[in-house]
Amino acid sequence: MTHPLEDMHVTLPVNLSAPFEVDKLLEVRTSGMKKMAGLNIESGIDKKPCPGPMRITKLGLEGDEHDPTFHGGLDKAILGYCSSHYDAWRQSYPERSDRFVPGGFGENFVTACMNERNVCIGDIIAVGPDVLLQVSLPRQPCFKLNHRFSLKNFAPETYRTSRTGWYYRVKREGTVRVGDELRLVERAWPQWTVARVQEYLHRDKDNLEMNRQLAEVDALGDESRGQFRKRVARAMSKSKPAEEGLWKDYKITGRRMETARVVSLVMEAVNPDPESDISLLGAHARMKLPGGLVRSYSVVAGGEGGAGSPNTLEFGIALAENSRGGSRHLHESAKVGDVLQVGRITAAIGLASAASNHCFIAGGIGLTAFLALIQGMHSIHFNYRLHYAVRSEEDIPFKGRLAAFGENVVLYDKSKGERMNIKDIVKSLTWNSHLYVCGPERMMEATKVEVEASGMPQNEVHYEAFAADVSGDPFEVELGGLRKGRVLKVGADESLLEVLQRERPDFPSSCEVGNCGTCKVRVTSGCVDHRGTALLPEEKETSMLSCVSRGIGRITIEI
């Protein structure tokens, strides 16, 4: 049977699949933590050659430093990389040829012929006379490789082609030096090369049988083995297929007025799901309220004030000036001990993990859309900055959390005459930045103008609205697909989404203001008045957001 990797049509150096038994240690490299160029974060990726003997302990080479969030530790003591990969990278990216040299990937060991296709998880490798290592994990590159080589979205290319490098754990400590022999001592898992593990880790993620097999490879480090175990658990859990549309009871366990207009509500699942791992970074949750009201609110935290467990949710809800009943009920009537139904928890604001820098522009209650996402970025040492405009200091919710972000927050207090200059913010964005915007309509529109003037690609900006005008002229919708020929009528003050959910109560939606794209439908004929920000220009040719966009006359859609 042809292995999936053989069908990738990727040009790779010759002899990558040649058997490995003996190799030579060409370079040993270490580094201290240093600030990355143009960023306010530190990294240990810039490793320099060490000509003399180097001591290796259980945590790696003495004197070598890492960002402990994703690097270092027992399973990631040493990073290895094949020197022959650099020739291939120079051919693919000739404009960066001076950067594709040994050490470019931040490796500790530079070797001649060991690579992802002839090194297996669990391999025991002797290095020189003293040291024994064991291959533990494929390296999972992050945005720092994009930044190091000044190539947007480069990191995914490294694991698509399985040229990432791999980690070792230390089985026996000792001393290594350049020129030492690396010798294969034991191979317990010959079927699991690093490249084959990456096939199921990154590309064929839904292969349940392979996920199950990899979850049982005890030599595989927890970072990857844990991912395979979670996939198996999700597949085996009977509740998961219906999770998105499932309504669950949540009890209000905490209530606090953050400001005169913003209430914080902490809600805990009445029947917690210990297996649930829904991301709460940039998430919305829908809430059923008395009187048949259903409202969507941003999740500002989960678990212990963080971004983790969906069994505990925290919301920050502003009392709308023209409340239709939702925010008014939560401000004036909801109390600790009340049970409400919550459902469709959706991470609508994706973390742009390939970006080197993350810039947030927020006004007032717009902070709540981004708070969990920023807290997550802060905890894993991403480069970010929040520009936040308020009417006065008394109008700032969640002050304690903002204070923890330190100089990453720039505050604009209107009562002190301070004004946010959106033009300057957009102009000052560094290379490979992602922009997130949420606030009053004037702020949103001003940012759109400056983004367009700057030439910034639309896929590098996320606009998050809290309200949307869905009204307009009535229109008709002819259904295609299995319901071909059926015609629905959408009134002047209702959305297509509302009409579709009367037909199909489980029809997917999340933010319902045009931010996320969950309710997107395919349009096969007719004209559309596009609203919202979730669709790229090319997507508008064939799709519409049913929550906010409106047809003109009659349109035909497929659902």
Side-chain angles (χ1 to χ4, degrees), residues 142-399:
C142 67
F143 75 93
K144 292 178 183 177
L145 277 187
N146 303 340
H147 198 78
R148 185 162 174 78
F149 295 112
S150 296
L151 294 168
K152 293 182 180 181
N153 297 308
F154 174 67
E157 185 68 9
T158 67
Y159 55 73
R160 189 185 76 82
T161 58
S162 289
R163 287 181 274 173
T164 59
W166 59 93
Y167 285 107
Y168 299 97
R169 60 175 66 93
V170 178
K171 303 292 285 184
R172 188 171 70 208
E173 299 178 345
T175 300
V176 298
R177 55 185 54 80
V178 171
D180 274 351
E181 181 180 272
L182 293 95
R183 181 168 48 86
L184 179 63
V185 175
E186 178 184 321
R187 174 162 284 174
W189 301 91
Q191 71 275 38
W192 289 120
T193 64
V194 173
R196 189 166 183 241
V197 173
Q198 289 176 316
E199 172 66 23
Y200 302 107
L201 188 63
H202 297 296
R203 296 182 287 272
D204 189 7
K205 298 180 181 181
D206 298 324
N207 190 317
L208 178 58
E209 179 56 31
M210 293 298 102
N211 284 333
R212 185 180 287 115
Q213 288 187 32
L214 283 158
E216 297 303 318
V217 178
D218 55 18
L220 184 61
D222 288 342
E223 178 183 84
S224 296
R225 194 179 182 194
Q227 288 181 263
F228 292 119
R229 283 174 164 170
K230 285 182 179 179
R231 292 176 190 175
V232 172
R234 281 198 300 266
M236 301 307 293
S237 173
K238 294 181 180 179
S239 66
K240 293 303 176 185
E243 176 114 29
E244 183 181 345
L246 189 65
W247 291 96
K248 294 183 178 180
D249 288 340
Y250 277 73
K251 180 184 288 187
I252 299 176
T253 58
R255 175 189 171 92
R256 182 180 65 254
M257 293 304 298
E258 291 288 335
T259 72
R261 295 181 57 252
V262 178
V263 62
S264 162
L265 295 177
V266 178
M267 305 178 70
E268 295 186 6
V270 174
N271 296 302
D273 179 1
E275 299 295 330
S276 185
D277 62 349
I278 300 171
S279 172
L280 299 182
L281 300 181
H284 299 107
R286 288 161 62 80
M287 197 182 297
K288 282 186 178 180
L289 301 172
L293 296 175
V294 177
R295 295 290 183 265
S296 181
Y297 296 108
S298 295
V299 178
V300 299
E304 300 276 330
S309 170
N311 294 309
T312 301
L313 303 173
E314 183 179 9
F315 301 91
I317 300 166
L319 178 61
E321 293 181 3
N322 299 307
S323 173
R324 293 178 293 165
S327 65
R328 187 166 299 281
H329 171 80
L330 294 173
H331 271 258
E332 298 177 358
S333 303
K335 61 186 182 300
V336 172
D338 286 356
V339 175
L340 299 171
Q341 287 195 308
V342 175
R344 291 181 181 166
I345 302 172
T346 307
I349 310 174
L351 171 62
S353 57
S356 299
N357 177 57
H358 303 264
C359 179
F360 296 86
I361 294 177
I365 194 60
L367 171 69
T368 60
F370 301 141
L371 193 57
L373 186 59
I374 294 173
Q375 193 158 334
M377 290 182 181
H378 185 77
S379 68
I380 57 178
H381 307 143
F382 271 36
N383 200 80
Y384 71 91
R385 176 153 291 196
L386 167 65
H387 295 270
Y388 184 38
V390 293
R391 290 184 290 191
S392 70
E393 187 175 351
E394 288 70 32
D395 289 316
I396 303 174
F398 306 104
K399 287 182 182 178

Side-chain angles (χ1 to χ4, degrees), residues 68-84:
T69 309
F70 296 113
H71 303 284
L74 296 176
D75 281 344
K76 298 180 179 180
I78 301 287
L79 175 63
Y81 200 72
C82 180
S83 62
S84 69

Side-chain angles (χ1 to χ4, degrees), residues 445-458:
E445 291 303 318
T447 307
K448 290 176 185 177
V449 169
E450 298 305 333
V451 165
E452 186 174 347
S454 73
M456 190 174 185
Q458 288 200 26

